[in-house]
Amino acid sequence: MKNLNNIFIFSISLFIALIIFIWIITPKIHKEEAKLNEVVENVTTNEDVKNLKTKYPDIYGKIHFNSLPNINYPVVMTDNPKTYLYSDLDGKYNGMGVPFVYPKKEENSDFKVVYAHAFTSKKPYMFTDLYKYLDIDFYNKDPFFYIKTEHADKKYLIIGGFQIDTAKDKFYFHKDFFRNEDEKQRWYEEVKKRTPFKIDRQVDFENEVVTLVTCTTDTVGGSKRIVVIGENIN
């Protein structure tokens, strides 16, 4: 009975601590997101992105989804994945970080990977809502996302998506370099197997492919990831 009482007290204490944490951190997260949104709210042209790079040299572009309006953020490029994991564009601590391409690539490179956090508190932040594209009905309504850079307006058709536990599954989903076309095709066949519904498209690997990666909100900081992959079709 004493052990049960201890467990009960511990559970209540943990719950209270979680509530206090959310109460403290939520206003800060709101402010951090608002600051990121402000950076791109007036970015409507390629020239706007070019001008933004003069202030923030690591800027790659702006990502947005019509069907996921909360995803409307700047994207940076970096050779150090820790740089923007918990930092804003000014290098100051930011719990949300900034969506980033890693490793750094030329804009016309054929494969890129974009990473961002998932965090929910009253509303979804960063890439939290990517999981919705694992549902065929949601996918069929609008299977696209967009990245605006200083040189192009890129439209991506989503060609696959799945959840993976990286602690148990060693599939190299975030691969960004392939030795030949056969290796690309084998990678994509694996993507298709893991996607929970059939996408009737033969990918043209002459086009750029972008992989979006975030964690799952049920295991923030854990090993599960949501992966959504798009092919540039313009």
Side-chain angles (χ1 to χ4, degrees):
M1 183 62 70
K2 184 177 180 180
N3 286 339
L4 287 175
N5 287 337
N6 288 339
I7 292 172
F8 176 74
I9 292 170
F10 174 77
S11 299
I12 293 296
S13 300
L14 188 62
F15 177 75
I16 292 172
L18 179 61
I19 294 298
I20 293 172
F21 172 78
I22 292 174
W23 179 73
I24 292 173
I25 203 70
T26 296
K28 188 172 183 179
I29 290 292
H30 286 330
K31 290 179 181 178
E32 290 171 349
E33 186 193 41
K35 184 178 178 181
L36 273 181
N37 290 151
E38 285 174 9
V39 170
V40 293
E41 67 179 353
N42 295 318
V43 172
T44 59
T45 68
N46 308 112
E47 189 67 22
D48 290 336
V49 177
K50 184 178 179 179
N51 292 337
L52 198 58
K53 284 174 69 72
T54 62
K55 184 175 182 181
Y56 305 113
D58 287 340
I59 284 285
Y60 170 59
K62 167 187 174 180
I63 185 170
H64 79 275
F65 288 71
N66 290 335
S67 54
L68 300 175
N70 59 292
I71 299 181
N72 184 48
Y73 296 110
V75 178
V76 294
M77 278 193 174
T78 180
D79 277 327
N80 184 347
K82 295 181 180 180
T83 301
Y84 291 101
L85 197 60
Y86 293 108
S87 296
D88 65 14
L89 292 168
D90 295 309
K92 298 176 182 177
Y93 177 81
N94 180 332
M96 294 178 61
V98 183
F100 61 91
V101 176
Y102 170 78
K104 205 168 191 176
K105 294 272 192 161
E106 296 295 328
E107 183 173 330
N108 61 356
S109 61
D110 52 359
F111 278 81
K112 297 182 183 72
V113 185
V114 183
Y115 299 88
H117 288 296
F119 183 84
T120 299
S121 177
K122 295 185 179 180
K123 62 172 284 188
Y125 295 99
M126 303 305 280
F127 282 4
T128 300
D129 275 349
L130 283 186
Y131 77 91
K132 293 182 178 180
Y133 275 104
L134 307 190
D135 175 80
I136 189 170
D137 293 327
F138 189 88
Y139 173 88
N140 284 335
K141 290 177 182 177
D142 185 10
F144 304 102
F145 64 92
Y146 306 83
I147 297 178
K148 182 184 295 292
T149 72
E150 65 176 307
H151 298 118
D153 291 299
K154 302 183 178 187
K155 180 179 182 179
Y156 298 86
L157 171 65
I158 294 172
I159 57 173
F162 51 89
Q163 179 174 308
I164 185 171
D165 188 338
T166 58
K168 301 176 182 178
D169 192 330
K170 300 308 177 185
F171 174 49
Y172 197 1
F173 63 88
H174 49 296
K175 197 172 180 70
D176 67 287
F177 174 78
F178 297 85
R179 290 171 294 183
N180 50 54
E181 294 300 310
D182 184 56
E183 191 172 83
K184 291 178 183 178
Q185 195 57 51
R186 290 199 306 271
W187 174 83
Y188 183 56
E189 288 301 318
E190 187 63 31
V191 167
K192 289 197 294 186
K193 288 179 186 176
R194 292 164 181 267
T195 300
F197 49 86
K198 184 178 180 181
I199 296 175
D200 189 20
R201 179 174 179 80
Q202 181 60 44
V203 176
D204 182 354
F205 285 113
E206 292 297 313
N207 295 334
E208 176 197 22
V209 173
V210 167
T211 300
L212 308 178
V213 183
T214 192
C215 55
T216 59
T217 54
D218 61 326
T219 58
V220 174
S223 58
K224 292 182 181 178
R225 299 290 181 269
I226 300 294
V227 181
V228 170
I229 300 160
E231 175 191 359
N232 186 358
I233 58 172
N234 66 336

